[in-house]
Amino acid sequence: DIVITPEMLGKLRPYQKVNHFPNMSCIARKNLLSKNLMKMKKQFPKEYNFFPQTWLLPSEWDDFKKQFTSNAKTFIVKPEALSQGQGIYLTRKWENIDPNEHSVVQRYLHKPFLIEGLKFDLRIYVLVYGCDPIRIFIYNEGLAR
């Protein structure tokens, strides 16, 4: 993350917007988001059961490798530093995964919810205006792709 200085703000064109906050990478990068979700799941298991089992490689390689038994499970492997689906693949064999590559690996959902037969993601835009008292605004329009 970079810090947006007043000088940088002064040089923005009228059509340009700033949409990042300091330390936003904690939720914007898939490896850091996964790490933080897993921390929250340990603290609040009932509230944080909405995402699949996740491993961060290479640090959790040994635990991840234990998942491979006679029951062939499918895992989705996502390189931590790529975006827009680049480098993502499915596997049922641990031998197909480079244990030194920094990746987020998750148990693959075999029957995901689909729209017209296609996977999708939803983006909802939220503004946290204040923390004490908490004030949150949700933009009426989102994005589905």
Side-chain angles (χ1 to χ4, degrees), residues 62-80:
D62 292 333
D63 184 48
F64 171 66
K65 199 171 164 184
K66 292 176 189 172
Q67 303 303 308
F68 292 87
T69 62
S70 58
N71 300 357
K73 300 170 190 154
T74 304
F75 296 89
I76 185 166
V77 182
K78 307 170 191 179
E80 74 177 35

Side-chain angles (χ1 to χ4, degrees), residues 25-26 29-39 42 51-65 67 75-81 97-107:
S25 63
C26 291
R29 287 186 52 110
K30 56 184 147 294
N31 59 327
L32 298 177
L33 174 62
S34 297
K35 183 178 181 178
N36 287 317
L37 283 172
M38 290 186 292
K39 282 182 185 179
K42 282 182 184 177
F51 63 98
Q53 197 169 3
T54 305
W55 296 266
L56 300 175
L57 303 185
S59 63
E60 297 176 341
W61 175 255
D62 292 333
D63 184 48
F64 171 66
K65 199 171 164 184
Q67 303 303 308
F75 296 89
I76 185 166
V77 182
K78 307 170 191 179
E80 74 177 35
I97 302 171
D98 179 354
N100 299 310
E101 184 179 328
H102 288 261
S103 303
V104 175
V105 181
Q106 293 180 309
R107 177 86 43 92

